[in-house]
Amino acid sequence: MTGADAHGSPAIRPRAIVIGLAALLLSARWIFYGEIVRYSFVTLAAPFCHAVYILLVLTVLNMLVGGRFPRLRLTSFELLTIYAMVSIGSAIMSCDMQSILIGQMPYPAYFIDSPGKWKDLVDGAIPSSLIVTDRDAVTGFYRGNATFWAPEVLRAWATPILIWTVVLWMLALTMQAMCALLLTAWAENERLTFPVVALPIALATEPRALFANRLLWVGFAIAGGITLLNGLNYLYPSVPALPIKRQTIVPIDSGPLSGPTTFVFSLYFFAIALGFLMPLDLGLSLWIFFLLHRAQLAFVAVHGYPPESRLPYADSQAFGAYMAVFAATAWRLRSHVTHLWSIAWRPEGHGDPERPAHRRNIAVAALGSAAIVGFLLWAGMSPVVAVAFPAIFFAVAIMITRIRAEFGFPVHDMHSMGPGPVLVRVFGAETFSRSTLGMFSMLHWMHRAYRGHVMPHQLEAYKLAGTDLRRRSAMSRAMTLAVLAAVPICFAVFLSGYYDVGAATGHVNMWGVGYGREAFGYNLPTWLKNPARADIGDGIATGAGFAVALLLAFVRTFLPGVPLHPLAYAVSNSWGMAQLWLPIMIGSLCKGAVLKGRGLKGYRGALQFFFGLMLGEFAVGCSWTLVGMALQAPTYEFWP
């Protein structure tokens, strides 16, 4: 029984929901002024540091207030629900989802300002109702010193905001239903470990035992002390610092091996803690495959292949690996799916307490998927692509969710592996119609990267609810409310902020205009004006990645101890792995040493130290960010 099962009533009182919604509003401002203004990305890694920080503050306040006024105390389940609402809402608002969409919507009207350019690029490619077409209304968005709440500005934004709000709701709620259907198979049947939520569960359910542990405070003091010291150094350079953030090391600075031998060294404490929490074979598998990927790059370099050859097609290999793992996962789930269907729709399912929930989730998943296909058809995608696009998106989403549930890898970015870029690489831009390519660009927000993807947070929220059906039902309602609230909150906070500070001014970092430039200044013009043919190398690499990952999955089925996991192969070339390979290695080596020397009991004791590392870095690091935002001054950012 987990802590989430053992503590707290299954009910969620209105006060917890109000606190959760208030925390969503705070998160929206934190994400905008942090990620968009300050270049401080709280949603690039899981668990979201600001969500843990909010949970920590609420837990401490709950202990203090609950001691004097027991009736005001929040239950552990309510604390976990607030944490889940913040995580899910923040994922929707993150720099890998709605934040990108908001940056795209006004871009054509302001930067494609001549009728000729507009006709060449936008007309017939993107429905005008999906973007803001009034240049006067978006001028304040880029120049600042204006208000979003002026009537003429609201009218210009109203239609696209309404359409995209519905689309975002459909997408997020469809994935929530999928998570509910996957939960039993992964959390109970396979008993996946869910490392990312280990600290939140401990913090919310056993705070007194956690805070009474000396090892926790040793880890907290080390990580928090170094983060405090580095923050002081940022403000006062005479104060010494310990460089734990990413440092690029180039041992060979010229010749073909300069790239493959360039490594990023970092000592992020939260990643060391996650490396310790991961299953040992999976943690080892991650950095083994990362080093093999670098060896592959070195092999290509020493054999004289130029960078423009794109060898070894690492992104296509990774995509093939993801699809292989998805196929293997779908095959393993076949009996689970049959069981769910029997409970939901067949006579033998009568009387099963989960029957109504399964029926509802199957219906939401099916209708949501169909609605998304219908939207893509309305927007101009060809019928085959309108079906293939969400199918690929959901397959990738399920694999990311599996990564988080099985071994808790915190940064699953997967750049260039969304359905649009993959289809263009494999089949060539010339294969697709103008309107299909236009929607690939318009949907850049869905598939640019997946670091802050909402679906893993949704499955983790169900895990936080435990096995009690009443608790799962209450958590599901809170998750739905978080989704419904997060989208309009994000539009309101982000657009108010942009019209205040100006997306194209020096007050905002490069992504104020960067997201729109990627979609409409690079992707769409390239695809329309210089449509490339299919690259056979991409197809071969995709097939090779699929075959290798499938072979690894087959081997692990018969030899479970083999420390070579296909999902580790899939993430080996990612930005996240390049940043975190060393802390993951340190964490996994520490875990191996503790298990060998002290056994499982020693591991459980040492876990408190690693919880302290993560909590200390998050607590002090987030405090530096909040101080900087309050004073409107630059301060130390511990990540990335």
Side-chain angles (χ1 to χ4, degrees), residues 60 115 211 325 376 443:
V60 173
F211 294 150
V325 178
L376 296 178
L443 295 172

Side-chain angles (χ1 to χ4, degrees), residues 39-394:
Y39 206 84
S40 172
F41 290 90
V42 296
T43 61
L44 287 190
F48 292 161
C49 59
H50 75 295
V52 175
Y53 186 87
I54 290 171
L55 177 61
L56 173 63
V57 171
L58 288 176
T59 299
V60 173
L61 290 176
N62 199 46
M63 293 172 65
L64 296 175
V65 173
R68 285 182 64 89
F69 308 101
R71 297 182 64 182
L72 296 180
R73 177 189 286 272
L74 295 170
T75 67
S76 60
F77 180 51
E78 288 173 330
L79 288 170
L80 290 172
T81 299
I82 295 168
Y83 169 81
M85 291 177 68
V86 172
S87 296
I88 290 168
S90 297
I92 291 172
M93 297 184 282
S94 74
C95 62
D96 287 327
M97 202 169 184
Q98 193 175 350
S99 179
I100 300 176
L101 173 63
I102 292 173
Q104 287 184 236
M105 291 165 68
Y107 188 91
Y110 189 77
F111 287 97
I112 310 173
D113 51 0
S114 71
K117 289 181 180 178
W118 185 277
K119 184 172 182 178
D120 288 344
L121 189 63
V122 179
D123 278 357
I126 303 166
S128 59
S129 55
L130 298 182
I131 55 177
V132 185
T133 57
D134 185 341
R135 190 174 194 274
D136 292 336
V138 302
T139 297
F141 179 94
Y142 289 101
R143 298 181 183 178
N145 293 318
T147 177
F148 168 68
W149 304 105
E152 62 276 12
V153 174
L154 289 172
R155 282 194 297 269
W157 281 87
T159 298
I161 284 179
L162 178 61
I163 292 173
W164 286 119
T165 296
V166 174
V167 171
L168 283 160
W169 283 345
M170 288 191 306
L171 188 68
L173 294 177
T174 300
M175 290 188 287
Q176 180 176 318
M178 291 178 177
C179 286
L181 296 172
L182 289 169
L183 179 67
T184 303
W186 288 356
E188 297 175 21
N189 298 343
E190 294 189 49
R191 295 185 178 276
L192 301 184
T193 55
F194 291 83
V196 164
V197 294
L199 175 59
I201 288 175
L203 193 56
T205 60
E206 301 171 346
R208 295 188 183 280
L210 186 69
F211 294 150
N213 191 291
R214 293 181 180 180
L215 281 177
L216 175 97
W217 292 110
V218 172
F220 190 101
I222 292 172
I226 291 174
T227 307
L228 177 64
L229 185 69
N230 289 346
L232 292 173
N233 169 264
Y234 185 91
L235 297 175
Y236 309 103
S238 59
V239 176
L242 292 174
I244 62 172
K245 292 179 66 173
R246 50 184 179 166
Q247 305 285 330
T248 301
I249 307 298
V250 187
I252 302 175
D253 58 5
S254 62
L257 288 177
S258 60
T261 59
T262 298
F263 284 85
V264 175
F265 286 81
S266 65
L267 292 173
Y268 295 113
F269 292 111
F270 75 91
I272 293 174
L274 287 172
F276 190 81
L277 282 162
M278 291 177 187
L280 184 58
D281 61 331
L282 300 181
L284 295 172
S285 186
L286 277 171
W287 55 267
I288 287 172
F289 271 116
F290 171 73
L291 296 177
L292 287 174
H293 165 66
R294 287 308 180 101
Q296 192 179 51
L297 294 179
F299 177 85
V300 169
V302 297
H303 282 78
Y305 293 101
E308 56 268 22
S309 70
R310 297 181 49 230
L311 286 169
Y313 296 98
D315 288 341
S316 295
Q317 284 189 59
F319 180 76
Y322 277 111
M323 292 302 100
V325 178
F326 175 76
T329 300
W331 178 257
R332 286 198 300 268
L333 286 171
R334 66 192 187 282
S335 60
H336 175 69
V337 172
T338 302
H339 178 66
L340 291 179
W341 188 264
S342 298
I343 293 175
W345 304 109
R346 292 178 181 172
E348 58 265 33
H350 280 295
D352 193 300
E354 294 190 84
R355 183 182 179 93
H358 288 334
R359 280 190 167 187
R360 181 176 61 253
N361 289 319
I362 290 171
V364 170
L367 293 175
S369 300
I372 292 168
V373 171
F375 165 73
L376 296 178
L377 289 171
W378 168 83
M381 271 194 185
S382 62
V384 173
V385 181
V387 173
F389 188 98
I392 295 172
F393 177 85
F394 287 131

Side-chain angles (χ1 to χ4, degrees), residues 260-578:
T261 59
T262 298
F263 284 85
V264 175
F265 286 81
S266 65
L267 292 173
Y268 295 113
F269 292 111
F270 75 91
I272 293 174
L274 287 172
F276 190 81
L277 282 162
M278 291 177 187
L280 184 58
D281 61 331
L282 300 181
L284 295 172
S285 186
L286 277 171
W287 55 267
I288 287 172
F289 271 116
F290 171 73
L291 296 177
L292 287 174
H293 165 66
R294 287 308 180 101
Q296 192 179 51
L297 294 179
F299 177 85
V300 169
V302 297
H303 282 78
Y305 293 101
E308 56 268 22
S309 70
R310 297 181 49 230
L311 286 169
Y313 296 98
D315 288 341
S316 295
Q317 284 189 59
F319 180 76
Y322 277 111
M323 292 302 100
V325 178
F326 175 76
T329 300
W331 178 257
R332 286 198 300 268
L333 286 171
R334 66 192 187 282
S335 60
H336 175 69
V337 172
T338 302
H339 178 66
L340 291 179
W341 188 264
S342 298
I343 293 175
W345 304 109
R346 292 178 181 172
E348 58 265 33
H350 280 295
D352 193 300
E354 294 190 84
R355 183 182 179 93
H358 288 334
R359 280 190 167 187
R360 181 176 61 253
N361 289 319
I362 290 171
V364 170
L367 293 175
S369 300
I372 292 168
V373 171
F375 165 73
L376 296 178
L377 289 171
W378 168 83
M381 271 194 185
S382 62
V384 173
V385 181
V387 173
F389 188 98
I392 295 172
F393 177 85
F394 287 131
V396 171
I398 289 170
M399 285 303 92
I400 291 172
T401 306
R402 176 79 187 198
I403 288 172
R404 284 267 290 278
E406 188 165 359
F407 58 96
F409 186 64
V411 185
H412 29 72
D413 46 295
M414 294 179 61
H415 284 89
S416 303
M417 277 182 269
V422 165
L423 290 170
V424 168
R425 283 201 307 268
V426 173
F427 297 103
E430 62 180 6
T431 306
F432 303 103
S433 67
R434 177 181 178 85
S435 56
T436 297
L437 293 173
M439 283 307 295
F440 283 172
S441 294
M442 190 68 244
L443 295 172
H444 185 57
W445 62 270
M446 274 181 67
H447 57 202
R448 180 183 182 271
Y450 297 89
R451 294 160 297 192
H453 203 284
V454 67
M455 191 170 177
H457 294 279
Q458 291 171 318
L459 185 67
E460 288 163 354
Y462 278 121
K463 173 65 176 177
L464 294 175
T467 57
D468 186 280
L469 297 183
R470 295 172 300 167
R471 209 167 291 167
R472 286 185 183 176
S473 179
M475 178 65 82
S476 181
R477 292 192 295 271
M479 293 162 62
T480 300
L481 182 59
V483 168
L484 296 179
V487 177
I489 286 174
C490 184
F491 275 125
V493 171
F494 277 50
L495 289 173
S496 295
Y498 274 125
Y499 274 84
D500 179 32
V501 299
T505 67
H507 299 294
V508 174
N509 77 64
M510 59 182 288
W511 295 117
V513 296
Y515 296 132
R517 183 183 296 120
E518 285 181 343
F520 301 122
Y522 177 74
N523 289 347
L524 187 57
T526 301
W527 291 338
L528 291 179
K529 297 177 182 179
N530 301 293
R533 296 184 177 182
D535 189 330
I536 190 172
D538 280 304
I540 294 173
T542 300
F546 188 94
V548 170
L550 207 59
L551 177 62
L552 289 171
F554 180 79
V555 170
R556 284 180 60 87
T557 300
F558 294 98
L559 298 171
V562 174
L564 295 175
H565 197 287
L567 280 174
Y569 167 49
V571 304
S572 61
N573 73 309
S574 67
W575 176 86
M577 197 64 223

Side-chain angles (χ1 to χ4, degrees), residues 28-39:
R29 292 183 61 83
W30 194 326
I31 292 169
F32 177 79
Y33 287 100
E35 297 189 345
I36 300 300
V37 175
R38 294 173 58 87
Y39 206 84

